[in-house]
Amino acid sequence: MKPIADALDQILNSVRPLQETETLPLQKALGRILAQPQISSLNVPPADNSAMDGYALHTDSLSATTRCLPVSQRVPAGHTPEPLQPGTAARIFTGAEVPAGANSVIMQEQCQIEERDGTNWITFPDEVKVNNNIRAKGQDIAAGAQVLPAGHRLQAQDLGLLASIGIGEIEVIRPLRVAVISTGDELAEPGEPAGPGQIYNSNRYQLAGLLQKLGAEMIDLGRVQDTFEATQLALKNAAEQADCVLTTGGVSVGEEDHVKPAVESLGQLNLWKLALKPGKPLAFGQIGDTPFFGLPGNPVSVFVTFLLFVRPYLYAQQGSPCHEPHPVQLPANFNRNKKSIRQEYVRVRVHPNGTMESHSNQSSGVLSSTSWANALAIVKPDTLVKEGDLVPVITYASLFL
């Protein structure tokens, strides 16, 4: 059985990122992957501007005996000021351009106002510093600077950032098309009555949610009959219309497990059986030129193998840098008294105080454990764990961009 790190390296080294792109209005680009680096053509802010409502002046106009200056102009935001007359101050508002000749802005609460013959005179405090309350031209973004790299997944704040440099539409990688095939005559669909010996198809729905979190489009090909011919035809059709094919179940070596031989008849398997718990019977290969993942049938195994292998592969396929979380070390609240050649992923709940609680049932069929948990604790191969030992933990939240 192949070690986890070696398997992940092999899988990621085979990625061929998508090249096809589309252009979207900025407000519709949330969650999409940038196809090109974004370079600012302008400075933000475009000129020195005021961080406060107050008064702009040149500090040389003040002295130990002169703390009062007349107001020579009013500068609201969005208007171009006149150069500041020497020996005067300008009434200025937040975001307004600082007049040429001014080098400081004093907030209005620190000033005293007196009217003399229809002119406002401002008495300034004893300490007035150069560049006080002035946002410098290009302080946020300088013209020519890269603001976001290619491969970046756009967040809400990124849309605001791009808007701030005048970008109204953006080139992004088109969504991945991922075909999902369920195998197993025992599967029934939710909302329909389950017959004798049948179980409801939970894998189809958890994969739909996981793919949605990655920004991929799911091509739902439903359930395939448990025959070699039906499986082969379904895989061929999936590969012709998808960027990646996922199957659940049927990758072991039982008489009713047809996925492995069907894939080998259409392409090749590059990886099969990992030193992993849960999820040993994971398959990876290709159908023609289309990458293929054969996930186990047990729902917890599907969840874990998707997070560990499919998730980083699909990120990389979209051109996003490989995103692997950095585990945190937490004291275990469980024991592992027997060494295993497989690396185990234990469903745990990490509490706000940093303590860990493991689910009482770690069976690969107990899907409720994945909803109860918010993290996976890692027990490395050939390792004994005693309660209180530090173990690496990855949270669900850290796995998604």
Side-chain angles (χ1 to χ4, degrees):
M1 292 185 290
K2 202 174 189 70
I4 302 303
D6 293 348
L8 185 58
D9 284 344
Q10 180 179 339
I11 288 171
L12 292 179
N13 287 335
S14 71
V15 175
R16 289 179 298 173
L18 282 182
Q19 302 298 319
E20 298 172 56
T21 65
E22 59 186 17
T23 300
L24 295 177
L26 192 57
Q27 64 268 30
K28 294 186 177 180
L30 182 66
R32 302 298 294 276
I33 302 292
L34 283 176
Q36 304 293 337
Q38 299 303 301
I39 310 298
S40 178
S41 62
L42 47 82
N43 292 297
V44 180
D48 292 356
N49 71 67
S50 177
M52 297 285 179
D53 289 349
Y55 297 90
L57 74 157
H58 196 287
T59 54
D60 288 349
S61 298
L62 300 178
S63 67
T65 57
T66 303
R67 311 302 302 173
C68 191
L69 301 175
V71 175
S72 58
Q73 63 175 305
R74 183 177 183 272
V75 188
H79 294 264
T80 302
E82 298 293 330
L84 185 65
Q85 298 177 25
T88 71
R91 175 67 165 132
I92 196 167
F93 297 89
T94 303
E97 183 177 339
V98 175
N103 68 354
S104 187
V105 172
I106 308 303
M107 62 190 301
Q108 61 190 16
E109 291 85 354
Q110 296 177 337
C111 300
Q112 295 179 346
I113 307 172
E114 179 185 354
E115 185 179 344
R116 304 178 191 172
D117 299 326
T119 299
N120 286 332
W121 286 71
I122 309 302
T123 299
F124 290 94
D126 292 338
E127 185 177 13
V128 174
K129 295 181 179 180
V130 174
N131 294 324
N132 192 52
N133 295 321
I134 293 178
R135 301 179 182 128
K137 174 182 177 179
Q139 172 184 288
D140 185 6
I141 303 167
Q146 176 178 292
V147 296
L148 292 172
H152 180 78
R153 183 178 294 276
L154 290 169
Q155 306 169 84
Q157 59 268 35
D158 300 326
L159 303 186
L161 177 62
L162 294 172
S164 76
I165 59 174
I167 292 176
E169 58 181 26
I170 199 75
E171 185 182 4
V172 295
I173 301 296
R174 69 155 174 82
L176 279 176
R177 296 186 288 263
V178 181
V180 175
I181 300 172
S182 303
T183 71
D185 287 343
E186 76 278 10
L187 297 178
E189 290 304 315
E192 300 176 358
Q198 286 193 307
I199 58 172
Y200 286 111
N201 187 359
S202 59
N203 286 331
R204 181 182 184 186
Y205 295 89
Q206 72 163 326
L207 285 176
L210 289 166
L211 290 171
Q212 186 175 348
K213 286 180 73 72
L214 296 179
E217 293 180 355
M218 176 176 166
I219 302 173
D220 188 354
L221 298 180
R223 180 177 63 82
V224 64
Q225 290 182 334
D226 273 339
T227 68
F228 173 82
E229 293 75 18
T231 304
Q232 184 186 52
L233 179 60
L235 290 170
K236 183 175 182 296
N237 290 338
E240 290 172 352
Q241 55 185 310
D243 302 303
C244 185
V245 177
L246 305 182
T247 63
T248 57
V251 290
S252 192
V253 291
E255 293 181 8
E256 299 301 322
D257 293 324
H258 303 293
V259 172
K260 182 176 180 289
V263 170
E264 291 173 326
S265 73
L266 299 168
Q268 63 184 37
L269 276 182
N270 303 321
L271 191 65
W272 185 54
K273 287 190 176 180
L274 304 183
L276 170 66
K277 179 182 180 181
K280 179 179 71 172
L282 172 78
F284 173 72
Q286 58 192 61
I287 303 167
D289 292 328
T290 304
F292 160 81
F293 284 92
L295 306 183
N298 284 325
V300 176
S301 299
V302 167
F303 181 72
V304 171
T305 54
F306 185 97
L307 293 181
L308 296 181
F309 300 103
V310 182
R311 174 195 55 83
Y313 185 92
L314 296 183
Y315 272 138
Q317 202 177 15
Q318 294 175 83
S320 185
C322 181
H323 169 67
E324 287 309 300
H326 298 290
V328 296
Q329 300 289 323
L330 294 177
N333 79 316
F334 56 86
N335 295 288
R336 289 294 180 270
N337 298 319
K338 183 179 179 181
K339 292 182 179 181
S340 171
I341 62 172
R342 295 196 285 168
Q343 183 156 299
E344 182 181 3
Y345 289 82
V346 181
R347 279 86 73 201
V348 300
R349 179 181 288 178
V350 176
H351 297 289
N353 64 1
T355 60
M356 177 205 307
E357 180 183 1
S358 61
H359 194 272
S360 60
N361 192 331
Q362 294 292 322
S363 166
S364 60
V366 180
L367 185 57
S368 59
S369 66
T370 63
S371 292
W372 174 89
N374 61 11
L376 298 172
I378 304 170
V379 179
K380 296 182 178 181
D382 299 318
T383 301
L384 300 178
V385 176
K386 295 181 181 179
E387 189 168 346
D389 289 348
L390 292 179
V391 295
V393 177
I394 50 177
T395 64
Y396 292 171
S398 70
L399 291 165
F400 294 94
L401 297 175

